[in-house]
Every structure is written in structure tokens, then in C-alpha cells.
């Protein structure tokens, strides 16, 4: 079958530079030499959203029917390209948007113009051409490659002031991540020094520079580090040790670390219980927070993906016939009891057919299954062949 496709523009051969240029400093996502992804809460939030979204079925529809034979269906659900599965591609693209606000993929088409593969690209500069359309430039083995607007999938978060690039939550809430990173580094430094806070060695006598250096090196060698924790210090020549810092308890370091987890979860709109913070979690509120996560957080990202795919992977003519949509019912796969209740209520209410429930479970179809309501509520059964009775023997 030839799927409807029509190119709206052709590639420029002279590669003339465009007008305005938009680019993002991805190195600025780091704080000094620290990477915000090193925070457990950041990693957990990004993994929760990207992995959950990538695991959902992402089907191509014509009306109410799935069109599994459409070329785009395989790209979105099986293999994004020869070296990347659809799950890996969608997970990586979503994670990139969550951290940097933008993700880009080169669209590879076949001879009929249909999408045959999607390749994620990085370090992309976005140009606005004199025609008003966008172009995307990236480096491929030292060669600058320019893609036209219809040749690049641009997935982005909330638009910034330029109306082109999405905003990065890492950059917008930099102070929050800075504080969390500093708290983490403070804990690392403290325990690296055997949990002992800094202090001063006092002496009534005046020490020469070489004596001070020797004393410092000797003290660090004997009493610094976790391997030396609990050792008894021996002070000579009237030396005394006086701590000058607050304890971790006085500084409420642990409370600050816990609050940072809540702040990070708030930025990514993830319920704390879903990223391992169970201090206020119960069975009932955890279930409700998961439902809220699907409705308020995951639904937003599903919509971003669906509209971005339709905008560049389907032609204008195809969009009048086809559309793409996630199936959130896949989230119920891990709970057989809830899944069975969901199917039963749908079948009894009449908005779900038994054959559709079997399809959601990847089970083979049964002829006549949807007619069981007309058969006194009994599902069709396979006739049992007659067997000889014992009397006949």
C-alpha cells in the first residue's frame, strides 16, 4: 500500500546561512564540575518519566483502528533505527528534554517519503531561514549537516522567550540544584574526613613554618579519612584541639537533604513516593499519587510526543487520515487484579469488547467471543470430541 505523502519543500543545495540563530549551551547544564544528574532525586525523576513513557504502546490510528502496517508504527514501537530500539530512542529523547529542554532526531525516509528511521542527534544549532522556517545544523564526523524543518524531529519542553527552543529546568532552577549538589558534596567531604568536622590545633608557643607544615601533614595522615575513624589523638607540646564548626545535627543537614529531594520532585512534577521518598507514603495515597502522576505529568509528555510526531512525520494529507496516540492502559500490566477489574467493568458497561481486552493482553482472538452476551452471557467454547464410555469398553 502506498501511504499518502507529499513534500512541502525541498532541500537547499547551496546551504546558504539562515537568518537568526538559536543555540543552547549544554555545558551550562553542569554546575562547575558537578552534573545535576549525579543527584539521586534528579536521576530518579528523569528515569521515572522517560522509562514509563517509553514503555507505553505508541500506535498509529486510522479512525478507531490501529494501523500496524503503517511504516511509522514499526519506528515508534519496534526499532527506531538499525542500532536503536524504539524504547531506547524514546527514553533517551525524553530524558534529553527533561534535562536540557530540547531533543533532536534526524528523520530518515524511504523512496516514497515515508519515515523509515529516526536517529537522535546532539549539539544542534537551530536557524531561522529568511522564509521564516527553521533549519537544524549539527556536526557529523567534522562535517556540518543542515536539516530542513521537515527533516528533523524537534521535541521540546515549555517554549522560551525566543519561541524556538524549550527551556531547561536545570537552568531555570539552577539555585535549587546548586544547593542540593553542595549539600551532597558537604556530606561526601565530611565522611571522607571520618565524620569529623574541621577545627584548629592551638599551641601556646609560636611555631615555625616548617613545624606547622609538618604538624598539618602528620595530623591528616593519622586522623583524617574514614579508615582512621575512632582513633585517639595524642597531642604534644601543649597542643589542644578546638572544633569550630557546627555538627551535622546542628546544621540540620539531613533535613536539608530531605527537603532538596522534595524540591527536585516538585520541579519535575513527580510524586516523592514514586522516586523512593516514602516518609509520608501510605498504600492509599501512593495509589492516588500514581494516578495523579499519569494524569498531570505523564499525559503532558505523551501529548508533546504525539503532536511533535504528527507535525513532521506525517504529511498534511496524512494527518487528515492518520494520527498517533499512546495507550496508557499499558501501565496496568504489572497489576493483574486491577487489570482484570478494568476489563470486566468495561465489558459490562458496553464500552469495551472481550476481543479488545484479549488484544490488549496480546492474546490470540477467539471467533464469536464478542457475541457471548447474546448466548445467555456464556462465552463460546470449543466443542469437546466424543470419547467412548467405560461401558462401551
Amino acid at each position: 500500500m502506498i501511504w499518502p505523502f507529499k513534500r512541502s519543500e525541498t532541500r537547499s543545495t547551496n546551504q546558504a546561512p539562515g537568518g537568526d540563530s538559536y543555540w543552547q549551551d549544554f555545558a551550562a547544564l553542569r554546575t562547575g564540575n558537578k552534573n545535576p544528574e549525579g543527584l539521586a532525586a534528579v536521576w530518579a525523576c528523569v528515569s521515572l518519566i522517560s522509562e514509563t513513557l517509553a514503555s507505553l504502546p505508541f500506535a498509529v490510528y486510522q479512525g478507531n483502528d490501529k494501523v500496524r502496517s503503517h511504516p511509522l508504527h514499526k519506528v515508534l514501537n519496534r526499532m527506531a533505527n538499525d542500532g536503536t530500539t524504539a524504547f531506547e530512542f524514546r527514553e533517551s529523547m525524553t530524558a534529553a528534554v527533561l534535562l536540557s529542554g530540547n531533543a533532536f532526531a534526524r528523520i530518515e525516509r524511504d523512496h516514497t517519503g515515508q519515515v523509515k528511521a529516526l536517529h537522535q542527534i546532539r549539539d544542534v544549532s537551530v536557524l531561522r531561514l529568511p522564509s521564516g522556517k527553521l533549519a537544524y545544523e549539527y556536526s557529523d564526523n567534522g562535517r556540518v549537516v543542515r536539516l530542513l524543518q521537515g527533516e528533523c524531529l524537534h521535541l521540546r519542553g515549555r517554549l522560551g522567550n525566543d519561541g524556538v527552543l524549550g527551556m531547561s529546568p536545570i537552568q531555570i532552577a539552577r539555585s535549587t540544584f546548586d544547593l542540593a549538589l553542595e549539600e551532597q558534596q558537604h556530606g561526601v567531604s565530611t565522611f571522607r574526613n571520618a565524620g569529623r568536622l574541621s577545627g584548629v590545633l592551638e599551641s601556646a608557643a609560636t611555631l615555625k613554618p616548617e613545624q606547622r607544615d609538618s604538624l598539618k601533614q602528620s595530623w591528616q595522615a593519622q586522623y583524617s579519612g574514614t579508615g582512621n575513624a575512632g582513633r585517639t589523638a595524642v597531642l604534644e607540646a601543649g597542643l589542644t584541639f578546638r572544633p569550630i564548626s557546627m555538627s551535622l545535627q546542628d546544621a540540620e543537614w539531613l533535613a536539608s537533604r530531605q527537603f532538596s529531594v522534595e524540591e527536585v520532585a516538585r520541579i519535575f512534577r513527580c510524586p516523592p513516593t514514586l522516586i523512593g521518598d516514602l516518609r509520608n507514603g501510605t498504600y492509599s495515597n501512593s495509589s492516588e499519587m500514581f494516578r495523579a502522576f499519569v494524569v498531570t505529568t505523564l499525559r503532558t509528555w505523551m501529548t508533546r510526543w504525539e503532536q511533535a510526531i504528527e507535525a513532521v512525520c506525517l504529511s498534511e494529507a496524512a494527518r487528515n487520515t492518520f494520527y498517533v496516540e499512546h495507550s496508557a492502559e499499558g501501565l496496568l500490566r504489572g497489576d493483574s487484579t486491577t487489570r482484570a477489574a478494568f476489563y470486566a467493568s468495561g465489558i459490562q458497561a458496553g464500552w469495551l469488547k472481550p476481543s479488545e481486552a484479549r488484544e490488549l493482553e496480546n492474546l490470540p482472538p477467539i471467533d464469536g467471543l464478542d457475541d457471548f452476551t447474546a448466548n445467555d452471557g456464556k462465552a463460546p467454547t470449543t466443542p469437546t470430541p466424543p470419547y467412548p464410555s467405560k461401558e462401551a469398553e
Side-chain angles (χ1 to χ4, degrees):
M1 179 177 180
I2 303 299
W3 304 99
F5 182 86
K6 180 180 179 181
R7 289 187 179 274
S8 59
E9 58 182 333
T10 57
R11 166 169 292 282
S12 172
T13 57
N14 57 15
Q15 298 295 290
D20 299 329
S21 176
Y22 306 89
W23 60 280
Q24 186 174 38
D25 184 8
F26 291 95
L29 299 181
R30 295 177 177 269
T31 302
N33 294 324
K34 305 182 187 72
N35 188 345
E37 276 192 279
L39 291 171
V42 173
W43 180 268
C45 289
V46 173
S47 298
L48 173 65
I49 297 175
S50 61
E51 292 175 3
T52 305
L53 183 67
S55 67
L56 296 179
F58 197 6
V60 179
Y61 287 88
Q62 183 176 15
N64 295 324
D65 300 323
K66 293 181 181 179
V67 187
R68 299 181 185 275
S69 58
H70 196 285
L72 189 57
H73 181 87
K74 177 183 177 182
V75 176
L76 297 178
N77 293 276
R78 294 292 181 264
M79 297 294 297
N81 55 66
D82 290 339
T84 309
T85 65
F87 178 92
E88 293 169 339
F89 172 78
R90 290 163 58 194
E91 177 193 20
S92 180
M93 289 281 287
T94 306
V97 179
L98 287 167
L99 292 170
S100 68
N102 298 272
F104 306 90
R106 176 175 61 85
I107 301 174
E108 181 181 354
R109 302 183 187 272
D110 60 19
H111 66 283
T112 64
Q114 300 302 318
V115 176
K116 60 181 292 187
L118 294 171
H119 305 266
Q120 187 173 6
I121 54 179
R122 304 180 187 276
D123 299 328
V124 179
S125 296
V126 185
L127 307 174
R128 187 176 295 279
L129 302 176
S131 63
K133 294 190 176 182
L134 300 178
Y136 302 84
E137 290 186 348
Y138 69 100
S139 177
D140 182 14
N141 295 324
R143 181 176 62 93
V144 177
V145 178
R146 172 177 291 189
L147 301 176
L148 296 176
Q149 186 166 318
E151 298 172 322
C152 181
L153 171 64
H154 184 184
L155 187 65
R156 52 194 177 183
R158 182 190 300 176
L159 289 178
N161 294 332
D162 55 26
V164 175
L165 294 178
M167 295 187 294
S168 165
I170 303 297
Q171 292 176 330
I172 297 299
R174 175 179 293 278
S175 58
T176 299
F177 295 101
D178 282 347
L179 178 59
L181 287 167
E182 291 300 326
E183 291 170 349
Q184 178 175 273
Q185 187 59 41
H186 173 69
V188 172
S189 300
T190 299
F191 286 100
R192 185 174 291 158
N193 289 295
R196 299 176 183 270
L197 296 177
S198 59
V200 294
L201 289 173
E202 295 180 339
S203 173
T206 303
L207 302 179
K208 296 180 180 180
E210 57 271 15
Q211 290 177 315
R212 289 197 298 269
D213 292 340
S214 176
L215 178 61
K216 179 180 178 181
Q217 294 174 5
S218 175
W219 180 272
Q220 290 179 339
Q222 295 182 70
Y223 308 114
S224 177
T226 54
N228 294 322
R231 298 187 63 178
T232 301
V234 179
L235 303 179
E236 303 179 23
L239 289 173
T240 58
F241 177 78
R242 180 169 62 87
I244 60 174
S245 299
M246 293 185 297
S247 66
L248 291 180
Q249 183 177 2
D250 293 335
E252 297 186 349
W253 177 74
L254 290 177
S256 298
R257 290 277 289 157
Q258 292 173 344
F259 182 71
S260 292
V261 172
E262 296 174 3
E263 286 281 85
V264 171
R266 187 175 295 116
I267 291 172
F268 287 104
R269 300 173 66 194
C270 292
T273 57
L274 298 187
I275 60 172
D277 184 0
L278 303 177
R279 286 173 296 140
N280 299 315
T282 64
Y283 177 81
S284 58
N285 69 13
S286 294
S287 299
E288 284 302 309
M289 281 192 281
F290 180 76
R291 184 186 65 83
F293 166 72
V294 174
V295 173
T296 62
T297 302
L298 206 60
R299 182 179 179 181
T300 300
W301 291 102
M302 288 191 293
T303 303
R304 291 187 194 279
W305 265 101
E306 290 162 4
Q307 295 189 358
I309 289 291
E310 291 178 4
V312 293
C313 294
L314 294 176
S315 66
E316 184 176 355
R319 288 195 293 271
N320 294 327
T321 305
F322 303 98
Y323 65 96
V324 295
E325 187 174 80
H326 289 88
S327 177
E329 287 79 9
L331 293 175
L332 300 176
R333 288 189 178 278
D335 186 346
S336 58
T337 302
T338 304
R339 195 164 67 246
F342 169 76
Y343 294 149
S345 63
I347 293 172
Q348 292 175 2
W351 56 265
L352 182 69
K353 295 180 180 179
S355 60
E356 294 173 334
R358 290 186 62 85
E359 182 181 359
L360 291 172
E361 289 294 303
N362 290 325
L363 295 174
I366 296 179
D367 293 338
L369 181 62
D370 293 338
D371 299 329
F372 78 97
T373 53
N375 188 25
D376 297 329
K378 297 180 180 180
T381 58
T382 302
T384 304
Y387 294 97
S389 64
K390 290 185 178 180
E391 297 179 356
E393 295 177 355

